[in-house]
Amino acid sequence: MKSPRLLADIGGTNMRLAWQERPDGPLHDTRVLPCAGYPTVHAAIAAYLAGAAIAAPHEAALGMANPVTGDLVRMTNHSWSFSQSALREALGLRRLIVVNDFTALALALPLLTPDLLRQVGGGVAVAGSAVALLGPGTGLGVSGLVFPPGAHSGVPLSGEGGHVSVAAQTPLEFEVLRILQARYGHVSAERAVCGAGLVDLYHALRQLGQSGAAGVDSAAQVSDLALQDGDPLALQALELFCGFLGNVAGNLALTLGALGGVYIGGGIVPRLGTWFDRSPFRARFEAKGRFQLYLAAIPCWVIDPGATPALYGAARALDIAGAQGR
């Protein structure tokens, strides 16, 4: 066997790893490792390679939940930081490509088949138009694809749209954001629309005197209280979460002119199942005044995370870099 290609999708909580024998080949030995279980990204990768018992790779692509603007990579929602050149040398790689994790996911969007998507409202995507991507998990990832004239495939966007300022549209949202502002100062979209954000929304509602169950410390607890126990406070927090997500998604769709559709990744929304389809998300996505009809036509899809699409996107990043001689 030729030296494998190592692929990784590294979030603030977990990292997914796999390897390919060749470009466009299937993924092998896909595994999930907890980031907190390893002191460094090098230690985590070394543990994966030892566990998979494969030959040392000569090239690797990592999708990371943070900006990638130079040799030094520092994660936003985890303690890992590293030098790309030092990691490449430590792993004995000829080539190492590091991109934002949602840039990698954006590269995988054209590969997604209909069985990996669930549509939430809207009509039919306009071929060749921009595509938007966002997804709440440990943080809030944002990206997209644009299609310049003559381009054979979409060009991914690499930005930090999860850190734009979030806006309130109802009296309750204004009160909740006032509480978050007192705690954080700047209230970004990520402060409300991520796992920790869902917990903060729940506790903000408690602070406002709403009735509900005892305190919680994880997004899973809030969603379980809401969807399994019917706890009214947890349901209200989840509705706020989906409303804020719809607002942010609508802003992104307008900014990009995303008539090609909006894709929702990340780990939280897929776990909400079809309840999400009935949540305030779609109404808030479309609630943009004179542009309501414009947004009403745009389809939104929830991505099935079980297919590990970001790993295929990391592989595409490796292929594109190779074609560009990097």
Side-chain angles (χ1 to χ4, degrees), residues 141-194:
V142 174
S143 184
L145 286 174
V146 294
F147 297 84
H152 297 294
S153 59
V155 176
L157 303 177
S158 181
E160 290 296 324
H163 300 280
V164 301
S165 300
V166 72
Q169 294 296 313
T170 69
L172 178 60
E173 288 180 354
F174 276 103
E175 289 301 304
V176 166
L177 292 188
R178 178 182 58 80
I179 292 172
L180 296 187
Q181 185 179 46
R183 179 173 183 178
Y184 296 114
H186 175 242
V187 184
S188 66
E190 181 173 282
R191 291 298 189 190
V193 188
C194 72

mmCIF file of all heavy atoms in Angstrom, residues 141-194:
data_model
loop_
_atom_site.group_PDB
_atom_site.id
_atom_site.type_symbol
_atom_site.label_atom_id
_atom_site.label_comp_id
_atom_site.label_asym_id
_atom_site.label_seq_id
_atom_site.Cartn_x
_atom_site.Cartn_y
_atom_site.Cartn_z
ATOM 1 N N GLY A 141 -19.691 27.657 13.356
ATOM 2 C CA GLY A 141 -18.925 27.742 12.126
ATOM 3 C C GLY A 141 -19.727 28.386 11.015
ATOM 4 O O GLY A 141 -20.942 28.194 10.929
ATOM 5 N N VAL A 142 -19.057 29.141 10.165
ATOM 6 C CA VAL A 142 -19.710 29.821 9.040
ATOM 7 C C VAL A 142 -18.790 29.765 7.830
ATOM 8 O O VAL A 142 -17.584 30.010 7.940
ATOM 9 C CB VAL A 142 -20.028 31.292 9.378
ATOM 10 C CG1 VAL A 142 -20.580 32.016 8.146
ATOM 11 C CG2 VAL A 142 -21.022 31.382 10.526
ATOM 12 N N SER A 143 -19.338 29.431 6.681
ATOM 13 C CA SER A 143 -18.581 29.457 5.430
ATOM 14 C C SER A 143 -19.572 29.535 4.281
ATOM 15 O O SER A 143 -20.724 29.931 4.456
ATOM 16 C CB SER A 143 -17.680 28.210 5.321
ATOM 17 O OG SER A 143 -16.878 28.277 4.153
ATOM 18 N N GLY A 144 -19.135 29.144 3.118
ATOM 19 C CA GLY A 144 -19.990 29.137 1.944
ATOM 20 C C GLY A 144 -19.177 28.818 0.710
ATOM 21 O O GLY A 144 -17.955 28.607 0.780
ATOM 22 N N LEU A 145 -19.854 28.732 -0.408
ATOM 23 C CA LEU A 145 -19.215 28.509 -1.696
ATOM 24 C C LEU A 145 -19.710 29.571 -2.669
ATOM 25 O O LEU A 145 -20.907 29.872 -2.713
ATOM 26 C CB LEU A 145 -19.572 27.133 -2.268
ATOM 27 C CG LEU A 145 -18.929 25.884 -1.660
ATOM 28 C CD1 LEU A 145 -19.553 24.644 -2.295
ATOM 29 C CD2 LEU A 145 -17.430 25.881 -1.870
ATOM 30 N N VAL A 146 -18.794 30.130 -3.435
ATOM 31 C CA VAL A 146 -19.169 31.029 -4.519
ATOM 32 C C VAL A 146 -18.652 30.430 -5.825
ATOM 33 O O VAL A 146 -17.688 29.661 -5.828
ATOM 34 C CB VAL A 146 -18.619 32.447 -4.305
ATOM 35 C CG1 VAL A 146 -19.270 33.094 -3.089
ATOM 36 C CG2 VAL A 146 -17.110 32.438 -4.145
ATOM 37 N N PHE A 147 -19.296 30.791 -6.918
ATOM 38 C CA PHE A 147 -19.001 30.177 -8.219
ATOM 39 C C PHE A 147 -18.647 31.262 -9.232
ATOM 40 O O PHE A 147 -19.526 31.773 -9.932
ATOM 41 C CB PHE A 147 -20.202 29.358 -8.695
ATOM 42 C CG PHE A 147 -20.532 28.198 -7.796
ATOM 43 C CD1 PHE A 147 -21.323 28.385 -6.669
ATOM 44 C CD2 PHE A 147 -20.036 26.938 -8.051
ATOM 45 C CE1 PHE A 147 -21.628 27.325 -5.830
ATOM 46 C CE2 PHE A 147 -20.321 25.870 -7.218
ATOM 47 C CZ PHE A 147 -21.123 26.070 -6.097
ATOM 48 N N PRO A 148 -17.368 31.643 -9.301
ATOM 49 C CA PRO A 148 -16.959 32.646 -10.287
ATOM 50 C C PRO A 148 -17.233 32.162 -11.702
ATOM 51 O O PRO A 148 -17.258 30.946 -11.964
ATOM 52 C CB PRO A 148 -15.449 32.789 -10.035
ATOM 53 C CG PRO A 148 -15.217 32.233 -8.669
ATOM 54 C CD PRO A 148 -16.240 31.163 -8.495
ATOM 55 N N PRO A 149 -17.445 33.071 -12.650
ATOM 56 C CA PRO A 149 -17.669 32.670 -14.042
ATOM 57 C C PRO A 149 -16.530 31.792 -14.552
ATOM 58 O O PRO A 149 -15.353 32.107 -14.357
ATOM 59 C CB PRO A 149 -17.723 34.005 -14.795
ATOM 60 C CG PRO A 149 -18.144 34.997 -13.764
ATOM 61 C CD PRO A 149 -17.535 34.536 -12.477
ATOM 62 N N GLY A 150 -16.884 30.683 -15.158
ATOM 63 C CA GLY A 150 -15.891 29.781 -15.721
ATOM 64 C C GLY A 150 -15.294 28.800 -14.743
ATOM 65 O O GLY A 150 -14.539 27.908 -15.146
ATOM 66 N N ALA A 151 -15.625 28.947 -13.441
ATOM 67 C CA ALA A 151 -15.068 28.024 -12.448
ATOM 68 C C ALA A 151 -15.773 26.677 -12.555
ATOM 69 O O ALA A 151 -16.989 26.602 -12.728
ATOM 70 C CB ALA A 151 -15.232 28.594 -11.052
ATOM 71 N N HIS A 152 -14.996 25.599 -12.442
ATOM 72 C CA HIS A 152 -15.567 24.260 -12.543
ATOM 73 C C HIS A 152 -16.157 23.796 -11.220
ATOM 74 O O HIS A 152 -17.004 22.907 -11.189
ATOM 75 C CB HIS A 152 -14.496 23.267 -13.009
ATOM 76 C CG HIS A 152 -13.976 23.560 -14.381
ATOM 77 N ND1 HIS A 152 -14.764 23.469 -15.506
ATOM 78 C CD2 HIS A 152 -12.755 23.964 -14.816
ATOM 79 C CE1 HIS A 152 -14.053 23.787 -16.579
ATOM 80 N NE2 HIS A 152 -12.828 24.098 -16.188
ATOM 81 N N SER A 153 -15.714 24.372 -10.137
ATOM 82 C CA SER A 153 -16.264 24.011 -8.828
ATOM 83 C C SER A 153 -16.281 25.248 -7.949
ATOM 84 O O SER A 153 -15.648 26.265 -8.258
ATOM 85 C CB SER A 153 -15.432 22.904 -8.173
ATOM 86 O OG SER A 153 -14.086 23.321 -7.998
ATOM 87 N N GLY A 154 -17.013 25.180 -6.857
ATOM 88 C CA GLY A 154 -17.149 26.327 -5.983
ATOM 89 C C GLY A 154 -15.857 26.675 -5.262
ATOM 90 O O GLY A 154 -15.039 25.805 -4.951
ATOM 91 N N VAL A 155 -15.700 27.962 -5.000
ATOM 92 C CA VAL A 155 -14.558 28.453 -4.229
ATOM 93 C C VAL A 155 -15.030 28.657 -2.789
ATOM 94 O O VAL A 155 -15.976 29.414 -2.548
ATOM 95 C CB VAL A 155 -14.032 29.771 -4.807
ATOM 96 C CG1 VAL A 155 -12.902 30.324 -3.940
ATOM 97 C CG2 VAL A 155 -13.573 29.574 -6.246
ATOM 98 N N PRO A 156 -14.412 27.987 -1.815
ATOM 99 C CA PRO A 156 -14.891 28.098 -0.433
ATOM 100 C C PRO A 156 -14.488 29.420 0.197
ATOM 101 O O PRO A 156 -13.456 30.002 -0.142
ATOM 102 C CB PRO A 156 -14.193 26.923 0.269
ATOM 103 C CG PRO A 156 -12.916 26.755 -0.491
ATOM 104 C CD PRO A 156 -13.262 27.069 -1.928
ATOM 105 N N LEU A 157 -15.315 29.872 1.128
ATOM 106 C CA LEU A 157 -15.023 31.085 1.878
ATOM 107 C C LEU A 157 -14.396 30.709 3.211
ATOM 108 O O LEU A 157 -14.816 29.752 3.854
ATOM 109 C CB LEU A 157 -16.310 31.879 2.126
ATOM 110 C CG LEU A 157 -17.102 32.270 0.875
ATOM 111 C CD1 LEU A 157 -18.385 32.993 1.263
ATOM 112 C CD2 LEU A 157 -16.251 33.160 -0.032
ATOM 113 N N SER A 158 -13.396 31.455 3.601
ATOM 114 C CA SER A 158 -12.723 31.216 4.873
ATOM 115 C C SER A 158 -12.830 32.484 5.708
ATOM 116 O O SER A 158 -12.139 33.463 5.474
ATOM 117 C CB SER A 158 -11.249 30.845 4.642
ATOM 118 O OG SER A 158 -10.600 30.589 5.862
ATOM 119 N N GLY A 159 -13.746 32.469 6.662
ATOM 120 C CA GLY A 159 -13.965 33.637 7.497
ATOM 121 C C GLY A 159 -14.350 33.233 8.903
ATOM 122 O O GLY A 159 -14.302 32.056 9.264
ATOM 123 N N GLU A 160 -14.749 34.197 9.692
ATOM 124 C CA GLU A 160 -15.137 33.957 11.081
ATOM 125 C C GLU A 160 -16.499 34.595 11.347
ATOM 126 O O GLU A 160 -16.694 35.369 12.273
ATOM 127 C CB GLU A 160 -14.078 34.502 12.039
ATOM 128 C CG GLU A 160 -12.786 33.711 12.032
ATOM 129 C CD GLU A 160 -12.960 32.282 12.531
ATOM 130 O OE1 GLU A 160 -13.778 32.060 13.459
ATOM 131 O OE2 GLU A 160 -12.283 31.377 11.989
ATOM 132 N N GLY A 161 -17.462 34.226 10.486
ATOM 133 C CA GLY A 161 -18.801 34.796 10.572
ATOM 134 C C GLY A 161 -19.542 34.465 11.846
ATOM 135 O O GLY A 161 -20.541 35.113 12.171
ATOM 136 N N GLY A 162 -19.091 33.457 12.577
ATOM 137 C CA GLY A 162 -19.739 33.142 13.845
ATOM 138 C C GLY A 162 -19.548 34.214 14.901
ATOM 139 O O GLY A 162 -20.250 34.214 15.926
ATOM 140 N N HIS A 163 -18.625 35.151 14.643
ATOM 141 C CA HIS A 163 -18.317 36.169 15.640
ATOM 142 C C HIS A 163 -18.862 37.544 15.283
ATOM 143 O O HIS A 163 -18.474 38.545 15.884
ATOM 144 C CB HIS A 163 -16.807 36.206 15.877
ATOM 145 C CG HIS A 163 -16.288 34.898 16.380
ATOM 146 N ND1 HIS A 163 -16.387 34.516 17.700
ATOM 147 C CD2 HIS A 163 -15.728 33.844 15.722
ATOM 148 C CE1 HIS A 163 -15.885 33.297 17.841
ATOM 149 N NE2 HIS A 163 -15.480 32.869 16.657
ATOM 150 N N VAL A 164 -19.784 37.588 14.299
ATOM 151 C CA VAL A 164 -20.496 38.834 14.040
ATOM 152 C C VAL A 164 -21.425 39.119 15.215
ATOM 153 O O VAL A 164 -21.763 38.230 16.003
ATOM 154 C CB VAL A 164 -21.309 38.764 12.734
ATOM 155 C CG1 VAL A 164 -20.406 38.480 11.538
ATOM 156 C CG2 VAL A 164 -22.415 37.701 12.832
ATOM 157 N N SER A 165 -21.844 40.360 15.361
ATOM 158 C CA SER A 165 -22.750 40.724 16.463
ATOM 159 C C SER A 165 -24.136 40.148 16.203
ATOM 160 O O SER A 165 -24.650 40.191 15.082
ATOM 161 C CB SER A 165 -22.837 42.244 16.598
ATOM 162 O OG SER A 165 -21.555 42.793 16.862
ATOM 163 N N VAL A 166 -24.744 39.614 17.250
ATOM 164 C CA VAL A 166 -26.081 39.047 17.122
ATOM 165 C C VAL A 166 -27.108 40.143 17.404
ATOM 166 O O VAL A 166 -26.837 41.085 18.163
ATOM 167 C CB VAL A 166 -26.268 37.843 18.077
ATOM 168 C CG1 VAL A 166 -26.370 38.295 19.524
ATOM 169 C CG2 VAL A 166 -27.468 37.005 17.676
ATOM 170 N N ALA A 167 -28.279 40.027 16.770
ATOM 171 C CA ALA A 167 -29.307 41.054 16.907
ATOM 172 C C ALA A 167 -30.569 40.468 17.541
ATOM 173 O O ALA A 167 -30.913 39.308 17.303
ATOM 174 C CB ALA A 167 -29.646 41.647 15.542
ATOM 175 N N ALA A 168 -31.254 41.278 18.333
ATOM 176 C CA ALA A 168 -32.526 40.890 18.934
ATOM 177 C C ALA A 168 -33.679 41.427 18.092
ATOM 178 O O ALA A 168 -33.583 42.506 17.505
ATOM 179 C CB ALA A 168 -32.619 41.435 20.354
ATOM 180 N N GLN A 169 -34.784 40.691 18.065
ATOM 181 C CA GLN A 169 -35.948 41.111 17.299
ATOM 182 C C GLN A 169 -37.223 41.124 18.133
ATOM 183 O O GLN A 169 -38.253 41.598 17.667
ATOM 184 C CB GLN A 169 -36.149 40.171 16.093
ATOM 185 C CG GLN A 169 -35.044 40.245 15.065
ATOM 186 C CD GLN A 169 -34.964 41.591 14.402
ATOM 187 O OE1 GLN A 169 -35.972 42.149 13.967
ATOM 188 N NE2 GLN A 169 -33.769 42.165 14.354
ATOM 189 N N THR A 170 -37.179 40.598 19.351
ATOM 190 C CA THR A 170 -38.353 40.575 20.231
ATOM 191 C C THR A 170 -37.959 41.149 21.590
ATOM 192 O O THR A 170 -36.770 41.165 21.953
ATOM 193 C CB THR A 170 -38.876 39.143 20.420
ATOM 194 O OG1 THR A 170 -37.920 38.394 21.196
ATOM 195 C CG2 THR A 170 -39.098 38.445 19.078
ATOM 196 N N PRO A 171 -38.935 41.626 22.382
ATOM 197 C CA PRO A 171 -38.611 42.131 23.721
ATOM 198 C C PRO A 171 -37.860 41.111 24.576
ATOM 199 O O PRO A 171 -36.925 41.476 25.307
ATOM 200 C CB PRO A 171 -39.973 42.478 24.313
ATOM 201 C CG PRO A 171 -40.829 42.790 23.121
ATOM 202 C CD PRO A 171 -40.368 41.847 22.050
ATOM 203 N N LEU A 172 -38.261 39.834 24.512
ATOM 204 C CA LEU A 172 -37.580 38.813 25.301
ATOM 205 C C LEU A 172 -36.133 38.662 24.849
ATOM 206 O O LEU A 172 -35.223 38.545 25.688
ATOM 207 C CB LEU A 172 -38.304 37.477 25.181
ATOM 208 C CG LEU A 172 -37.656 36.307 25.933
ATOM 209 C CD1 LEU A 172 -37.577 36.589 27.423
ATOM 210 C CD2 LEU A 172 -38.407 35.000 25.654
ATOM 211 N N GLU A 173 -35.889 38.679 23.537
ATOM 212 C CA GLU A 173 -34.519 38.568 23.041
ATOM 213 C C GLU A 173 -33.667 39.749 23.501
ATOM 214 O O GLU A 173 -32.497 39.570 23.856
ATOM 215 C CB GLU A 173 -34.517 38.461 21.510
ATOM 216 C CG GLU A 173 -35.020 37.115 21.005
ATOM 217 C CD GLU A 173 -35.002 37.017 19.488
ATOM 218 O OE1 GLU A 173 -34.699 38.029 18.815
ATOM 219 O OE2 GLU A 173 -35.289 35.922 18.973
ATOM 220 N N PHE A 174 -34.238 40.940 23.516
ATOM 221 C CA PHE A 174 -33.485 42.094 24.011
ATOM 222 C C PHE A 174 -33.075 41.890 25.462
ATOM 223 O O PHE A 174 -31.933 42.188 25.844
ATOM 224 C CB PHE A 174 -34.318 43.377 23.876
ATOM 225 C CG PHE A 174 -34.259 44.013 22.520
ATOM 226 C CD1 PHE A 174 -35.311 43.874 21.619
ATOM 227 C CD2 PHE A 174 -33.154 44.761 22.139
ATOM 228 C CE1 PHE A 174 -35.255 44.457 20.368
ATOM 229 C CE2 PHE A 174 -33.091 45.356 20.885
ATOM 230 C CZ PHE A 174 -34.140 45.201 19.990
ATOM 231 N N GLU A 175 -33.987 41.356 26.280
ATOM 232 C CA GLU A 175 -33.680 41.131 27.686
ATOM 233 C C GLU A 175 -32.620 40.047 27.858
ATOM 234 O O GLU A 175 -31.706 40.172 28.679
ATOM 235 C CB GLU A 175 -34.955 40.759 28.443
ATOM 236 C CG GLU A 175 -35.931 41.894 28.633
ATOM 237 C CD GLU A 175 -35.300 43.056 29.394
ATOM 238 O OE1 GLU A 175 -34.794 42.827 30.511
ATOM 239 O OE2 GLU A 175 -35.280 44.179 28.850
ATOM 240 N N VAL A 176 -32.725 38.990 27.074
ATOM 241 C CA VAL A 176 -31.742 37.902 27.152
ATOM 242 C C VAL A 176 -30.366 38.392 26.718
ATOM 243 O O VAL A 176 -29.351 38.107 27.373
ATOM 244 C CB VAL A 176 -32.206 36.704 26.298
ATOM 245 C CG1 VAL A 176 -31.067 35.708 26.086
ATOM 246 C CG2 VAL A 176 -33.392 36.012 26.960
ATOM 247 N N LEU A 177 -30.302 39.145 25.631
ATOM 248 C CA LEU A 177 -29.006 39.640 25.158
ATOM 249 C C LEU A 177 -28.421 40.666 26.119
ATOM 250 O O LEU A 177 -27.194 40.785 26.230
ATOM 251 C CB LEU A 177 -29.143 40.236 23.753
ATOM 252 C CG LEU A 177 -29.450 39.231 22.634
ATOM 253 C CD1 LEU A 177 -29.373 39.926 21.274
ATOM 254 C CD2 LEU A 177 -28.517 38.040 22.663
ATOM 255 N N ARG A 178 -29.270 41.391 26.818
ATOM 256 C CA ARG A 178 -28.768 42.319 27.838
ATOM 257 C C ARG A 178 -28.009 41.548 28.926
ATOM 258 O O ARG A 178 -26.936 41.975 29.388
ATOM 259 C CB ARG A 178 -29.930 43.096 28.448
ATOM 260 C CG ARG A 178 -29.510 44.062 29.555
ATOM 261 C CD ARG A 178 -30.726 44.760 30.146
ATOM 262 N NE ARG A 178 -31.693 43.811 30.680
ATOM 263 C CZ ARG A 178 -31.575 43.225 31.874
ATOM 264 N NH1 ARG A 178 -30.520 43.467 32.637
ATOM 265 N NH2 ARG A 178 -32.497 42.390 32.290
ATOM 266 N N ILE A 179 -28.540 40.382 29.308
ATOM 267 C CA ILE A 179 -27.875 39.551 30.313
ATOM 268 C C ILE A 179 -26.558 39.007 29.762
ATOM 269 O O ILE A 179 -25.527 39.009 30.454
ATOM 270 C CB ILE A 179 -28.812 38.406 30.752
ATOM 271 C CG1 ILE A 179 -30.000 38.984 31.543
ATOM 272 C CG2 ILE A 179 -28.062 37.364 31.579
ATOM 273 C CD1 ILE A 179 -31.081 37.979 31.858
ATOM 274 N N LEU A 180 -26.572 38.555 28.515
ATOM 275 C CA LEU A 180 -25.336 38.034 27.917
ATOM 276 C C LEU A 180 -24.304 39.148 27.748
ATOM 277 O O LEU A 180 -23.099 38.914 27.921
ATOM 278 C CB LEU A 180 -25.631 37.380 26.567
ATOM 279 C CG LEU A 180 -26.533 36.138 26.581
ATOM 280 C CD1 LEU A 180 -26.587 35.516 25.186
ATOM 281 C CD2 LEU A 180 -26.064 35.115 27.596
ATOM 282 N N GLN A 181 -24.762 40.346 27.431
ATOM 283 C CA GLN A 181 -23.822 41.464 27.278
ATOM 284 C C GLN A 181 -23.165 41.801 28.608
ATOM 285 O O GLN A 181 -21.965 42.110 28.666
ATOM 286 C CB GLN A 181 -24.543 42.682 26.721
ATOM 287 C CG GLN A 181 -23.599 43.837 26.414
ATOM 288 C CD GLN A 181 -24.342 45.034 25.847
ATOM 289 O OE1 GLN A 181 -25.379 45.429 26.375
ATOM 290 N NE2 GLN A 181 -23.810 45.605 24.776
ATOM 291 N N ALA A 182 -23.927 41.720 29.702
ATOM 292 C CA ALA A 182 -23.354 41.990 31.021
ATOM 293 C C ALA A 182 -22.265 40.971 31.356
ATOM 294 O O ALA A 182 -21.296 41.281 32.058
ATOM 295 C CB ALA A 182 -24.452 41.960 32.083
ATOM 296 N N ARG A 183 -22.416 39.764 30.820
ATOM 297 C CA ARG A 183 -21.435 38.713 31.110
ATOM 298 C C ARG A 183 -20.237 38.775 30.178
ATOM 299 O O ARG A 183 -19.092 38.600 30.613
ATOM 300 C CB ARG A 183 -22.111 37.347 31.003
ATOM 301 C CG ARG A 183 -21.165 36.181 31.254
ATOM 302 C CD ARG A 183 -21.898 34.870 31.317
ATOM 303 N NE ARG A 183 -20.971 33.772 31.621
ATOM 304 C CZ ARG A 183 -21.342 32.497 31.769
ATOM 305 N NH1 ARG A 183 -22.615 32.167 31.674
ATOM 306 N NH2 ARG A 183 -20.439 31.588 32.028
ATOM 307 N N TYR A 184 -20.478 39.024 28.884
ATOM 308 C CA TYR A 184 -19.415 38.886 27.888
ATOM 309 C C TYR A 184 -18.943 40.203 27.274
ATOM 310 O O TYR A 184 -17.890 40.231 26.615
ATOM 311 C CB TYR A 184 -19.865 37.960 26.756
ATOM 312 C CG TYR A 184 -20.120 36.542 27.194
ATOM 313 C CD1 TYR A 184 -21.406 35.997 27.167
ATOM 314 C CD2 TYR A 184 -19.077 35.733 27.639
ATOM 315 C CE1 TYR A 184 -21.641 34.689 27.556
ATOM 316 C CE2 TYR A 184 -19.308 34.420 28.033
ATOM 317 C CZ TYR A 184 -20.591 33.911 27.993
ATOM 318 O OH TYR A 184 -20.813 32.619 28.391
ATOM 319 N N GLY A 185 -19.710 41.255 27.416
ATOM 320 C CA GLY A 185 -19.385 42.469 26.678
ATOM 321 C C GLY A 185 -19.936 42.362 25.272
ATOM 322 O O GLY A 185 -21.126 42.580 25.057
ATOM 323 N N HIS A 186 -19.098 42.014 24.318
ATOM 324 C CA HIS A 186 -19.586 41.806 22.950
ATOM 325 C C HIS A 186 -20.363 40.492 22.876
ATOM 326 O O HIS A 186 -19.867 39.439 23.274
ATOM 327 C CB HIS A 186 -18.419 41.749 21.963
ATOM 328 C CG HIS A 186 -18.845 41.419 20.563
ATOM 329 N ND1 HIS A 186 -18.413 40.291 19.894
ATOM 330 C CD2 HIS A 186 -19.692 42.048 19.718
ATOM 331 C CE1 HIS A 186 -18.956 40.259 18.695
ATOM 332 N NE2 HIS A 186 -19.739 41.309 18.567
ATOM 333 N N VAL A 187 -21.582 40.560 22.370
ATOM 334 C CA VAL A 187 -22.404 39.353 22.217
ATOM 335 C C VAL A 187 -22.390 38.961 20.747
ATOM 336 O O VAL A 187 -23.087 39.551 19.922
ATOM 337 C CB VAL A 187 -23.847 39.572 22.703
ATOM 338 C CG1 VAL A 187 -24.618 38.256 22.609
ATOM 339 C CG2 VAL A 187 -23.855 40.078 24.138
ATOM 340 N N SER A 188 -21.555 38.000 20.429
ATOM 341 C CA SER A 188 -21.475 37.503 19.061
ATOM 342 C C SER A 188 -22.583 36.486 18.815
ATOM 343 O O SER A 188 -23.233 35.998 19.749
ATOM 344 C CB SER A 188 -20.118 36.838 18.825
ATOM 345 O OG SER A 188 -20.009 35.657 19.617
ATOM 346 N N ALA A 189 -22.785 36.154 17.544
ATOM 347 C CA ALA A 189 -23.742 35.100 17.219
ATOM 348 C C ALA A 189 -23.382 33.806 17.941
ATOM 349 O O ALA A 189 -24.257 33.085 18.436
ATOM 350 C CB ALA A 189 -23.772 34.888 15.703
ATOM 351 N N GLU A 190 -22.082 33.514 18.037
ATOM 352 C CA GLU A 190 -21.648 32.285 18.689
ATOM 353 C C GLU A 190 -22.032 32.247 20.161
ATOM 354 O O GLU A 190 -22.257 31.172 20.716
ATOM 355 C CB GLU A 190 -20.135 32.113 18.534
ATOM 356 C CG GLU A 190 -19.596 30.838 19.155
ATOM 357 C CD GLU A 190 -18.134 30.597 18.850
ATOM 358 O OE1 GLU A 190 -17.849 30.144 17.721
ATOM 359 O OE2 GLU A 190 -17.285 30.865 19.713
ATOM 360 N N ARG A 191 -22.117 33.403 20.829
ATOM 361 C CA ARG A 191 -22.479 33.418 22.245
ATOM 362 C C ARG A 191 -23.881 32.869 22.482
ATOM 363 O O ARG A 191 -24.178 32.341 23.549
ATOM 364 C CB ARG A 191 -22.396 34.839 22.798
ATOM 365 C CG ARG A 191 -20.994 35.405 22.892
ATOM 366 C CD ARG A 191 -20.118 34.609 23.829
ATOM 367 N NE ARG A 191 -18.842 35.291 24.084
ATOM 368 C CZ ARG A 191 -17.819 34.739 24.708
ATOM 369 N NH1 ARG A 191 -17.920 33.489 25.149
ATOM 370 N NH2 ARG A 191 -16.709 35.410 24.901
ATOM 371 N N ALA A 192 -24.761 33.003 21.479
ATOM 372 C CA ALA A 192 -26.127 32.507 21.615
ATOM 373 C C ALA A 192 -26.352 31.201 20.871
ATOM 374 O O ALA A 192 -27.196 30.397 21.264
ATOM 375 C CB ALA A 192 -27.126 33.555 21.112
ATOM 376 N N VAL A 193 -25.601 30.988 19.792
ATOM 377 C CA VAL A 193 -25.888 29.867 18.894
ATOM 378 C C VAL A 193 -24.714 28.892 18.886
ATOM 379 O O VAL A 193 -23.932 28.818 17.928
ATOM 380 C CB VAL A 193 -26.207 30.367 17.467
ATOM 381 C CG1 VAL A 193 -26.702 29.208 16.614
ATOM 382 C CG2 VAL A 193 -27.265 31.461 17.506
ATOM 383 N N CYS A 194 -24.546 28.188 19.976
ATOM 384 C CA CYS A 194 -23.582 27.095 20.101
ATOM 385 C C CYS A 194 -23.988 26.310 21.337
ATOM 386 O O CYS A 194 -24.988 26.648 21.992
ATOM 387 C CB CYS A 194 -22.144 27.611 20.213
ATOM 388 S SG CYS A 194 -21.752 28.394 21.787
#
